[in-house]
Amino acid sequence: MTKTILVTGATDGIGLMTAKTLANRGHHVILHGRSVAKLASAASEIGQGISTYRADLSSLQEAYDLAMSIRTDHDCIDVLINNAGVFKIGDPILPNGQDVRFVVNTLAPYALTKALLPIIPKAGRILNLSSAAQAPVDIAALKGQSRLGDMAAYAQSKRAITIWSHELAGRLAEGPVIIAVNPGSLLASKMVKEGFGVAGNDLQIGVDILCRLALDQDFANDSGKYWDNDFGGFSPVNFGDSERVMNAIEELV
């Protein structure tokens, strides 16, 4: 069955490869990116059956506006893949004082997801890109009240998206399925090359698991779980700090 699938951060790296794979399988893919030119290039590379939307997810308002534009044009989103993310950037502090890693990696996906829920069916899927790099969340840093280094901000933002994936799944017991996923450590993305200075592992490793989690019936009952592709399966997570992190996320969004 043909599905409508939204992939954020889909103009390069694992997002583009995943979008291309899904489109080649006959699905209608919606591409999100920050650059009109890069979106046009990605759409041209993939071919027909593509819709494109531009938004800067360092702005929660733009994340919300993106959702509203998609809802205007589409009656249903079967799969949402929250892939857009940022690690190292010249100036990570936004004009409002917040760290762009928390906004793009944690808060914008939450705002986008919540705004799109009315058109995501209970049988749908939401995949949130997490990471093997996770660290306890400093609530002051999440709120923009203290500063962190690149790795600490990134790891905490990925811990936070893993937490809200689990918590929102619990609130939506009838669906859609929400899964946080580490697609594989140090894959050959632009983020890895710029952030770690290494070529990275084959992106197809991550693409394959994202497509499986998005479409395979095997995962229809795995909402709220965390898939760690470094180990090839679901991994237990200690969600002991979930309440305070969720309260902060909802306050900010």
Side-chain angles (χ1 to χ4, degrees):
M1 180 183 298
T2 299
K3 295 185 180 296
T4 299
I5 302 172
L6 168 60
V7 184
T8 68
T11 56
D12 57 36
I14 193 171
L16 177 57
M17 284 188 64
T18 300
K20 185 184 298 185
T21 300
L22 292 167
N24 287 342
R25 295 183 184 180
H27 300 290
H28 173 64
V29 181
I30 301 171
L31 306 180
H32 154 266
R34 287 187 303 162
S35 162
V36 171
K38 287 186 176 180
L39 277 168
S41 176
S44 176
E45 181 177 338
I46 294 173
Q48 297 182 342
I50 298 296
S51 304
T52 63
Y53 292 82
R54 195 216 71 84
D56 184 346
L57 297 185
S58 68
S59 163
L60 295 184
Q61 183 62 55
E62 290 201 28
Y64 178 79
D65 290 345
L66 171 63
M68 293 301 103
S69 295
I70 292 171
R71 283 174 56 174
T72 297
D73 297 339
H74 300 273
D75 295 328
C76 174
I77 300 295
D78 296 293
V79 181
L80 165 59
I81 302 178
N82 284 310
N83 166 72
V86 62
F87 174 31
K88 283 190 177 180
I89 189 169
D91 183 4
I93 306 305
L94 298 169
N96 66 0
Q98 288 184 292
D99 189 309
V100 70
R101 276 72 64 102
F102 282 114
V103 178
V104 174
N105 299 351
T106 304
L107 301 177
Y110 189 73
L112 181 64
T113 298
K114 291 293 290 290
L116 286 175
L117 278 177
I119 63 168
I120 301 176
K122 287 183 170 57
R125 306 265 176 103
I126 298 166
L127 303 184
N128 291 329
L129 272 286
S130 184
S131 171
Q134 295 186 40
V137 180
D138 179 338
I139 299 298
L142 174 61
K143 292 182 175 182
Q145 298 167 351
S146 65
R147 301 287 177 259
L148 297 173
D150 292 328
M151 193 64 215
Y154 179 78
Q156 291 185 34
S157 72
K158 291 303 185 179
R159 166 71 177 169
I161 196 171
T162 304
I163 285 173
W164 80 243
S165 301
H166 176 78
E167 291 297 304
L168 187 58
R171 298 175 188 181
L172 301 172
E174 295 183 0
V177 169
I178 305 175
I179 297 174
V181 52
N182 164 33
S185 294
L186 297 177
L187 300 182
S189 65
K190 179 181 177 183
M191 182 189 299
V192 166
K193 292 173 185 175
E194 293 180 349
F196 296 96
V198 297
N201 300 316
D202 187 359
L203 276 177
Q204 195 65 47
I205 296 169
V207 172
D208 289 345
I209 189 57
L210 290 179
C211 292
R212 286 180 58 205
L213 291 171
L215 300 171
D216 286 7
Q217 190 60 29
D218 291 349
F219 304 106
N221 297 312
D222 290 316
S223 194
K225 296 182 180 180
Y226 164 66
W227 180 280
D228 188 343
N229 212 33
D230 291 339
F231 296 98
F234 288 108
S235 293
V237 177
N238 180 354
F239 290 106
D241 57 345
S242 293
E243 183 176 359
R244 66 186 183 89
V245 174
M246 280 301 297
N247 288 341
I249 289 172
E250 292 186 328
E251 175 188 334
L252 292 165
V253 171

